[in-house]
Amino acid sequence: MKKSSDVGNMSPVTPAPVAVVVITRDRRTSLLRTLGELAALPERPRVVVVDNGSTDGTPGAVAASHRGVDVVALGGNVGPAARNAGVERALTPVVAFADDDSWWAPGALARAVELFDAHPRLGLVAARVLVGAAGRLDPTSAAMAASPLPRDPALPGPRVLGFVACGAIVRVRAFASVGGFDARAGVGGEEALLAIDLAARGWELCYVDDVVAHHHPDVSHDRAQRTRNVVRNDLAVAWLRRPLSVALAHTGGAALRAARDGGARAGLAQWVRAAPGLLRRRAPVRPELERWLRALDDARAAV
């Protein structure tokens, strides 16, 4: 054991350059598979599991079967903001996100670290996400590959203003500069506000085709709940960061969708209740960034 007088002479422990933060809730079986895949990666990343108040014994199962994994048991469900706690625990300059049904391809994390080292203003890498056993390209990845935003040949890929959370790798300094994921958002479209705020701070977000993540989503997920969250989060972003005309247009579109969809109706109702607080936090983006957002709106409308 080192004496107290020796502490000052000890070399500081240098953490691994990348960690994987996994959020979960009541998905023990799926999570254990994901942890097995992450344990097999050649990069041997530090893995932090943040449990959103599971009732199926998830924290204990992870501790028993994956002793090198750091488990953060929150005791309640804070949604996507659980990732913030994982980033704080990771103590690495780069963090990759995963869900309890997703993992990273061998070499993807090392490639991302290389990119962050080579591009000081790169704040987020959006990966090519392959879905299911067949490895189908996620439609969001296809859209990012064809991004209409201005290209910069000095960047490692097309600029984007969105991403799939389980296929994203962040520079922690950039992530922390905008406060991470909004604690008010549920799972479903929670990425948009973070992406916009990173860009507003001057960070670059790029889609990189040779950084690959695998996603095996559970088809039994509550689609109505996800629709509710997507509608609510879309309206929140519109009213927080977009001009009044755009916010009103998004609200009108949500109202039309709510007339025929119960999930959208619930999302609209949640937004109405949250609207006073959102309006107090309203801070529209600068005109150049708004032009980029409009270009993305036009591209989505054309599909």
Side-chain angles (χ1 to χ4, degrees):
M1 178 180 293
K2 294 284 184 179
K3 295 184 295 185
S4 59
S5 58
D6 294 331
V7 172
N9 297 323
M10 294 174 63
S11 299
V13 176
T14 302
V18 62
V20 179
V21 169
V22 187
I23 63 171
T24 189
R25 185 169 189 269
D26 290 333
R27 300 282 306 285
R28 181 176 63 183
T29 301
S30 178
L31 173 64
L32 293 178
R33 177 189 180 185
T34 287
L35 295 179
E37 297 285 350
L38 294 175
L41 292 177
E43 295 96 329
R44 300 294 185 195
R46 173 174 167 78
V47 177
V48 180
V49 170
V50 186
D51 183 74
N52 264 327
S54 290
T55 59
D56 65 352
T58 289
V62 173
S65 60
H66 294 275
R67 299 195 176 187
V69 171
D70 191 359
V71 181
V72 181
L74 298 181
N77 187 5
V78 301
R83 298 186 182 104
N84 301 347
V87 171
E88 290 179 5
R89 182 68 69 93
L91 301 177
T92 54
V94 174
V95 164
F97 295 117
D99 290 343
D100 48 27
D101 56 6
S102 75
W103 52 88
W104 291 91
L109 303 181
R111 173 63 174 147
V113 170
E114 291 175 356
L115 294 174
F116 285 119
D117 286 344
H119 303 277
R121 295 306 302 168
L122 184 62
L124 183 145
V125 169
R128 175 161 54 102
V129 178
L130 302 180
V131 180
R136 175 179 57 84
L137 182 65
D138 188 294
T140 301
S141 295
M144 290 191 292
S147 172
L149 302 184
R151 298 293 177 104
D152 182 342
L155 294 175
R159 280 191 175 107
V160 295
L161 282 175
F163 57 93
V164 178
C166 68
I169 306 175
V170 297
R171 187 190 300 273
V172 169
R173 185 160 59 90
F175 183 83
S177 75
V178 298
F181 285 94
D182 192 330
R184 303 164 186 83
V187 175
E190 72 272 18
E191 302 93 344
L193 183 60
L194 176 58
I196 292 170
D197 286 351
L198 284 169
R201 284 291 186 102
W203 295 102
E204 298 284 2
L205 297 80
C206 292
Y207 172 76
V208 181
D209 196 66
D210 62 350
V211 176
V212 177
H214 295 278
H215 187 200
H216 288 234
D218 184 349
V219 296
S220 67
H221 277 182
D222 189 335
R223 292 189 178 184
Q225 182 182 65
R226 185 173 183 86
T227 298
R228 180 197 68 193
N229 292 345
V230 167
V231 168
R232 183 193 62 212
N233 290 341
D234 176 73
L235 288 172
V237 170
W239 283 95
L240 284 169
R241 300 291 183 260
R242 308 294 300 273
L244 181 60
S245 60
V246 175
L248 289 170
H250 278 244
T251 306
L256 289 174
R257 186 176 179 183
R260 61 181 186 275
D261 186 305
R265 198 154 48 246
L268 180 60
Q270 286 193 348
W271 171 79
V272 168
R273 290 193 293 271
L278 290 171
L279 293 175
R280 286 193 294 270
R281 297 164 52 210
R282 181 170 163 76
V285 300
R286 64 184 185 273
E288 179 187 11
L289 186 51
E290 174 57 27
R291 285 194 293 271
W292 289 10
L293 290 168
R294 286 180 184 267
L296 291 170
D297 288 344
D298 291 344
R300 282 190 287 265
V303 174

